[in-house]
Amino acid sequence: RKPPPPPVAMSLNRLKETLLPCSSSSAQSQSQPRSPSPPRPPRRPPKTSLSQQLLRLEASYSLPAPPPSPPKPLSQKTAEDAAEQPTSSSEEDVAPRPRRRPAPPPAASFEPRGPYEPLVLSPLGEHPIVQVPPSINCRLLAHQRDGVRFLYNLYRNNHGGVLGDDMGLGKTIQTIAFLSSVIGKDNNQGEKSTDKGKKSSPVLILCPTSVIRNWENEFSEWANFSVAVYHGPNRDLVLEKIEGQGLEVLITSFDTFRTRDKVLCDISWELVVVDEAHRLKNEKSKLYTACLGITTQKRFCLTGTIMQNKIMELFNVFDWVVPGCLGDREHFREYYDEPLKHGQRLSAPERFVQVADKRKKHLVSVLKKFLLRRTKEETIGHLMLGKEDNIVFCRMSDVQKRVYRRMLQQPDIQILVNKDLPCSCGSPLTQVECCKKIEPRGIIWSYLHRENLDGCPLCPFCLVLPCLVKLQQISNHLELIKPNPRDEIEKQKKDAELAAAVFDTDIELVGGSAKSENFMGLSDSEHCGKMRALERLLSLWTLQGDKILLFSYSVRMLDILEKFLIRKGYCFSRLDGSTPMNARQSLVDEFNKSPSKQVNLC
Ligand SMILES: [Zn+2]
Ligand SMILES: [Zn+2]
């Protein structure tokens, strides 16, 4: 007789998964019937067909002419237009000719826009009508509109809830759209209240210090609230504004709130929004107890990680959001926490697993009323389909190949290549097991072990990474293996010795074995396979009006690419480790906005 199958263990992850599919049912349950959401736009074609571009590159090196392209259906027209077929292998013909880029089809417009139908939140027939301002509504995606409905319906029932969407789904803009529909409105048909009419109390936003600016920026971009930040030395001046000038939104950090909770809890808030609300997972923390002092019933939480480790964390967050919604703490522990933990064990008896499963479903159904949680895949996955990753293999130049081969012949690499050959001393062991663990003739080995001439415990494998780095540098640009004047003198000596060895008879071609300052030499793509490929791709992309981000992890490579861009006449900017923090955002903004900026080096 066979033993019964082992019970299925239930994990915390499965509970987390189960929290997902609650979609927007609670958001829709109380709202008026709405028109079905529009069909998702079809998958967009890639902006340019890199496979065609690759063919073109390949053609310039070896192929006499590409095969004639077969007739293509109309839908591929954009990609086809973008990648003209070369007609011969000569350089002039291979380089793309200037031509106008075809207008993109409407579906390919870059910024996703929601439908323009008004987003009315209040139930049909109810007055005043509450709706999201068109200026925000037109920029909302479908899932964001659902999120705004969800937040409003909670608000209308005089309590709060948790927006638990994945990071990147726009929790901030959903919140601002929701606030824009309900804050500062009097009974004048949703018009923003002026000095007449009853003003509502202000909104409190609690968030980590690091995102205060972000909230401020988003508010100024999307809404015309009177917003103030309560943070830093002069913070108490801000409080006077609440009374005197009709402040509508106050943003403060967790740290400030923890110490100033008495002052802030004295204020009558219309509603409170806690960003990164998983910070409320511990009921014994000072932040949690301080938040309990906030008097409003309308408590909203935003978080992408609603539960990090323990089920009790869920209780703490929800018990703050809607006090009592999950019963009292002891009941929750007995009814959900303990059974779920028991059922989760691998050795749990079947009946424990069944109870856990039932309780889990029950918990999820209770949470649904107050929690909206969506993933990237189910919401904006279809928008990401136009993105393609392409890897372009670049043929090394002839000099690069010669240098690469000489590098492979270096004793440092040979000892690794030959490690499994029989040892020359006649023993039955391999070289690496016997006599050839160290290589005093190797330039890299000698440098690595200049303090311990007998080798290190890792020998010869301590050579793997340094040798790979050298091979990678040769493949990227020959200039990179020359000594760097910023290095210590010992390392420079070693690099100069190695460079001389691998350049050998090609030393003149690469401008000597010392670091070159020669602009014409460095900016020339002739001896660098990657730059030759880049030259053609840049030319093609810029002709199409695309902007290009050009990344390198090496500052020296960025220096070389910069010279290359100057020589080619591209308009570019550069952002690297030396760019001051406070200059970075404006540099990015300028690159995005200025039509003349073609390339950004980073
Ligand atoms: Zn041996
Ligand atoms: Zn070693």
Side-chain angles (χ1 to χ4, degrees):
R1 170 171 291 224
K2 277 187 184 170
V8 181
M10 200 196 66
S11 70
L12 194 60
N13 279 338
R14 280 180 54 207
L15 172 61
K16 288 179 184 174
E17 281 163 25
T18 326
L19 289 175
L20 287 176
C22 55
S23 75
S24 55
S25 53
S26 57
Q28 287 163 17
S29 58
Q30 294 148 333
S31 69
Q32 75 287 358
R34 61 192 177 97
S35 53
S37 48
R40 289 181 164 181
R43 185 190 192 283
R44 282 180 285 141
K47 293 177 96 179
T48 54
S49 161
L50 255 177
S51 54
Q52 294 292 314
Q53 294 171 28
L54 285 178
L55 268 180
R56 188 203 305 276
L57 285 174
E58 206 52 41
S60 74
Y61 288 127
S62 51
L63 301 179
S69 54
K72 298 228 172 75
L74 266 177
S75 64
Q76 289 185 15
K77 194 156 169 35
T78 312
E80 204 181 335
D81 281 355
E84 272 185 62
Q85 295 293 324
T87 49
S88 88
S89 64
S90 77
E91 288 286 311
E92 291 74 18
D93 281 2
V94 166
R97 269 165 269 138
R99 59 175 292 170
R100 299 293 297 271
R101 185 180 198 184
S109 72
F110 183 69
E111 287 170 288
R113 282 163 180 268
Y116 284 85
E117 72 196 67
L119 179 49
V120 177
L121 299 174
S122 47
L124 205 60
E126 189 174 284
H127 282 279
I129 293 170
V130 176
Q131 70 171 45
V132 175
S135 56
I136 304 184
N137 181 31
C138 71
R139 303 301 293 267
L140 293 179
L141 300 171
H143 75 274
Q144 294 171 334
R145 293 158 64 90
D146 287 340
V148 176
R149 288 189 189 95
F150 165 78
L151 294 171
Y152 175 75
N153 286 320
L154 293 164
Y155 172 88
R156 194 168 161 270
N157 290 310
N158 202 32
H159 55 75
V162 178
L163 185 57
D165 288 344
D166 269 2
M167 204 176 86
L169 292 186
K171 291 189 284 289
T172 308
I173 190 170
Q174 293 177 69
T175 306
I176 291 177
F178 153 63
L179 293 177
S180 301
S181 348
V182 299
I183 303 303
K185 301 291 189 294
D186 57 16
N187 287 345
N188 189 10
Q189 293 293 315
E191 287 294 308
K192 204 160 192 290
S193 78
T194 48
D195 47 359
K196 60 182 188 290
K198 179 181 142 284
K199 281 202 183 101
S200 48
S201 310
V203 170
L204 176 65
I205 310 272
L206 273 177
C207 61
T209 308
S210 57
V211 297
I212 286 182
R213 286 282 160 255
N214 183 54
W215 273 99
E216 231 189 331
N217 293 342
E218 297 280 320
F219 270 117
S220 73
E221 172 143 14
W222 298 109
N224 54 347
F225 293 138
S226 150
V227 177
V229 173
Y230 183 73
H231 191 66
N234 293 326
R235 59 197 175 201
D236 283 327
L237 295 177
V238 166
L239 293 183
E240 294 164 17
K241 275 196 189 171
I242 295 182
E243 288 306 310
Q245 296 165 39
L247 188 77
E248 289 166 308
V249 176
L250 187 77
I251 308 171
T252 191
S253 70
F254 292 139
D255 294 332
T256 304
F257 182 72
R258 260 199 304 265
T259 55
R260 307 290 295 164
D261 62 315
K262 293 280 181 305
V263 179
L264 291 171
C265 287
D266 262 357
I267 297 164
S268 156
W269 301 102
E270 169 66 13
L271 64 90
V272 56
V273 177
V274 178
D275 194 4
E276 307 287 339
H278 42 271
R279 298 280 188 95
L280 294 179
K281 66 183 179 182
N282 179 2
E283 85 278 15
K284 296 201 173 74
S285 69
K286 176 78 176 70
L287 178 65
Y288 194 89
T289 47
C291 282
L292 287 175
I294 301 173
T295 48
T296 179
Q297 301 269 299
K298 297 162 190 149
R299 299 172 171 181
F300 292 89
C301 281
L302 313 178
T303 175
T305 46
I306 180 66
M307 183 172 60
Q308 287 177 315
N309 297 304
K310 299 175 192 152
I311 300 164
M312 286 310 289
E313 295 171 2
L314 273 182
F315 177 86
N316 289 331
V317 173
F318 281 90
D319 196 51
W320 179 76
V321 172
V322 187
C325 70
L326 294 175
D328 69 30
R329 184 176 303 274
E330 276 322 300
H331 172 261
F332 185 88
R333 202 187 295 280
E334 277 170 34
Y335 194 76
Y336 297 115
D337 187 40
E338 294 294 335
L340 284 172
K341 275 196 287 198
H342 287 313
Q344 201 174 315
R345 293 202 187 99
L346 210 59
S347 58
E350 180 59 22
R351 65 194 164 87
F352 278 31
V353 176
Q354 279 171 3
V355 170
D357 210 43
K358 247 172 84 182
R359 298 288 163 84
K360 186 183 71 177
K361 284 189 180 124
H362 191 262
L363 176 58
V364 168
S365 73
V366 174
L367 289 179
K368 262 185 187 179
K369 290 179 202 148
F370 309 107
L371 169 68
L372 180 62
R373 167 154 165 66
R374 283 92 44 101
T375 63
K376 268 193 181 147
E377 290 72 37
E378 67 186 297
T379 47
I380 57 172
H382 63 290
L383 294 175
M384 313 287 280
L385 289 177
K387 176 175 178 282
E388 276 195 3
D389 290 326
N390 290 279
I391 295 170
V392 178
F393 289 93
C394 307
R395 200 181 294 266
M396 280 194 277
S397 71
D398 291 339
V399 195
Q400 274 178 309
K401 283 182 199 163
R402 290 197 293 272
V403 173
Y404 197 95
R405 287 198 191 99
R406 286 184 205 117
M407 183 66 212
L408 290 179
Q409 292 309 316
Q410 289 297 303
D412 305 290
I413 293 191
Q414 283 299 307
I415 190 178
L416 292 168
V417 171
N418 296 327
K419 68 181 174 55
D420 293 327
L421 296 182
C423 190
S424 53
C425 72
S427 85
L429 298 171
T430 62
Q431 288 191 6
V432 70
E433 293 164 334
C434 192
C435 306
K436 289 281 275 180
K437 290 195 174 75
I438 65 171
E439 183 47 277
R441 291 175 304 159
I443 297 168
I444 299 176
W445 190 92
S446 305
Y447 172 73
L448 282 179
H449 303 91
R450 59 195 183 281
E451 310 277 300
N452 46 341
L453 297 173
D454 295 334
C456 71
L458 279 176
C459 278
F461 300 106
C462 56
L463 284 168
V464 171
L465 199 58
C467 288
L468 280 179
V469 167
K470 282 293 161 199
L471 292 172
Q472 189 187 38
Q473 286 173 335
I474 293 170
S475 316
N476 283 339
H477 198 287
L478 289 176
E479 185 68 19
L480 299 177
I481 62 166
K482 296 181 183 178
N484 186 345
R486 274 174 283 196
D487 287 337
E488 54 176 283
I489 202 78
E490 279 292 303
K491 184 168 186 302
Q492 284 192 53
K493 258 196 226 165
K494 180 263 299 183
D495 286 336
E497 197 185 341
L498 190 69
V502 295
F503 286 147
D504 196 30
T505 50
D506 288 313
I507 195 112
E508 291 307 317
L509 270 180
V510 297
S513 61
K515 182 174 184 271
S516 171
E517 297 295 342
N518 181 330
F519 175 82
M520 289 314 280
L522 291 176
S523 63
D524 190 354
S525 65
E526 189 192 349
H527 296 310
C528 175
K530 282 195 176 185
M531 274 165 80
R532 272 156 45 169
L534 179 67
E535 189 172 17
R536 290 171 175 80
L537 289 173
L538 280 179
S539 160
L540 182 66
W541 289 335
T542 50
L543 278 172
Q544 290 165 350
D546 281 333
K547 283 175 182 279
I548 296 140
L549 294 173
L550 191 53
F551 291 94
S552 172
Y553 70 91
S554 146
V555 174
R556 292 176 82 186
M557 193 67 214
L558 285 178
D559 291 342
I560 295 168
L561 290 171
E562 184 172 320
K563 293 188 173 68
F564 168 76
L565 291 175
I566 292 170
R567 175 161 168 178
K568 291 282 159 187
Y570 288 109
C571 178
F572 69 96
S573 46
R574 174 169 170 169
L575 197 165
D576 61 24
S578 67
T579 312
M581 273 297 178
N582 56 15
R584 294 184 180 192
Q585 188 60 47
S586 55
L587 199 143
V588 171
D589 291 343
E590 200 209 334
F591 176 73
N592 285 334
K593 283 177 190 152
S594 163
S596 62
K597 283 266 186 285
Q598 297 165 300
V599 185
N600 190 64
L601 278 172
C602 14

Coordinates of all heavy atoms in Angstrom, one line a residue, residues 437-438 445 448-449 452 454-463, ligand 2:
K437 N 51.9 25.9 -10.5 CA 50.9 26.7 -9.8 C 51.2 28.2 -9.9 O 50.3 29.0 -9.9 CB 50.7 26.3 -8.3 CG 50.1 25.0 -8.1 CD 49.7 24.8 -6.6 CE 49.0 23.6 -6.3 NZ 49.9 22.4 -6.3
I438 N 52.5 28.5 -10.0 CA 52.9 29.9 -10.1 C 53.7 30.1 -11.4 O 54.1 29.2 -12.0 CB 53.8 30.3 -8.9 CG1 55.1 29.5 -8.9 CG2 53.1 30.0 -7.6 CD1 56.1 30.0 -7.9
W445 N 51.3 38.0 -13.1 CA 51.6 37.2 -11.9 C 52.6 37.9 -11.0 O 52.4 38.0 -9.8 CB 52.1 35.8 -12.3 CG 52.1 34.9 -11.1 CD1 51.1 34.1 -10.7 CD2 53.1 34.8 -10.1 NE1 51.4 33.4 -9.5 CE2 52.7 33.8 -9.2 CE3 54.4 35.3 -10.0 CZ2 53.4 33.5 -8.1 CZ3 55.2 34.9 -8.9 CH2 54.7 34.0 -8.0
L448 N 51.1 40.8 -9.2 CA 50.1 40.4 -8.2 C 50.9 39.8 -6.9 O 50.4 40.0 -5.8 CB 49.2 39.3 -8.7 CG 48.0 39.7 -9.6 CD1 47.3 38.5 -10.0 CD2 47.1 40.7 -8.8
H449 N 52.0 39.2 -7.1 CA 52.7 38.5 -6.0 C 54.0 39.2 -5.7 O 54.9 38.5 -5.3 CB 52.9 37.0 -6.3 CG 51.6 36.3 -6.7 ND1 51.1 36.2 -7.9 CD2 50.7 35.7 -5.9 CE1 50.0 35.6 -7.9 NE2 49.7 35.3 -6.7
N452 N 54.7 38.4 -2.1 CA 54.9 37.0 -1.7 C 55.3 36.2 -2.9 O 54.4 35.7 -3.7 CB 53.6 36.5 -1.1 CG 52.3 36.8 -1.9 OD1 52.4 37.7 -2.7 ND2 51.3 36.1 -1.7
D454 N 56.4 33.4 -3.4 CA 56.0 31.9 -3.5 C 54.6 31.7 -3.9 O 54.2 30.6 -4.1 CB 56.2 31.3 -2.1 CG 57.7 31.3 -1.6 OD1 58.5 31.3 -2.5 OD2 57.9 31.3 -0.4
G455 N 53.9 32.8 -4.2 CA 52.5 32.6 -4.7 C 51.5 32.7 -3.5 O 51.9 32.8 -2.4
C456 N 50.2 32.7 -3.9 CA 49.2 32.8 -2.9 C 48.4 31.5 -2.9 O 48.6 30.6 -3.8 CB 48.3 34.0 -3.2 SG 47.2 33.7 -4.7
P457 N 47.5 31.3 -2.0 CA 46.8 30.0 -1.9 C 45.9 29.8 -3.1 O 45.5 28.6 -3.4 CB 45.9 30.2 -0.6 CG 46.5 31.3 0.2 CD 47.2 32.2 -0.8
L458 N 45.5 30.8 -3.8 CA 44.6 30.7 -5.0 C 45.4 30.4 -6.3 O 44.8 30.0 -7.3 CB 43.8 32.0 -5.2 CG 42.6 32.1 -4.3 CD1 42.0 33.5 -4.6 CD2 41.6 31.0 -4.5
C459 N 46.7 30.5 -6.3 CA 47.4 30.4 -7.6 C 47.1 29.1 -8.3 O 47.0 28.1 -7.6 CB 48.9 30.4 -7.3 SG 49.6 32.1 -7.1
P460 N 47.0 29.0 -9.6 CA 47.1 30.1 -10.5 C 45.8 30.9 -10.8 O 45.7 31.7 -11.6 CB 47.6 29.4 -11.8 CG 46.8 28.1 -11.7 CD 46.7 27.7 -10.3
F461 N 44.7 30.5 -10.0 CA 43.4 31.0 -10.4 C 43.2 32.5 -10.0 O 42.3 33.1 -10.4 CB 42.3 30.1 -9.8 CG 42.4 28.7 -10.3 CD1 42.8 27.7 -9.5 CD2 42.0 28.4 -11.6 CE1 42.9 26.4 -9.9 CE2 42.1 27.1 -12.1 CZ 42.6 26.1 -11.3
C462 N 44.2 33.0 -9.2 CA 44.2 34.4 -8.9 C 44.4 35.2 -10.1 O 44.1 36.4 -10.2 CB 45.2 34.7 -7.8 SG 46.9 34.2 -8.4
L463 N 44.8 34.5 -11.2 CA 45.1 35.3 -12.5 C 43.9 35.4 -13.4 O 43.9 36.2 -14.3 CB 46.2 34.5 -13.3 CG 47.6 34.6 -12.8 CD1 48.5 33.6 -13.5 CD2 48.1 36.0 -13.0
Ligands
ZN2 ZN 48.2 33.8 -6.7

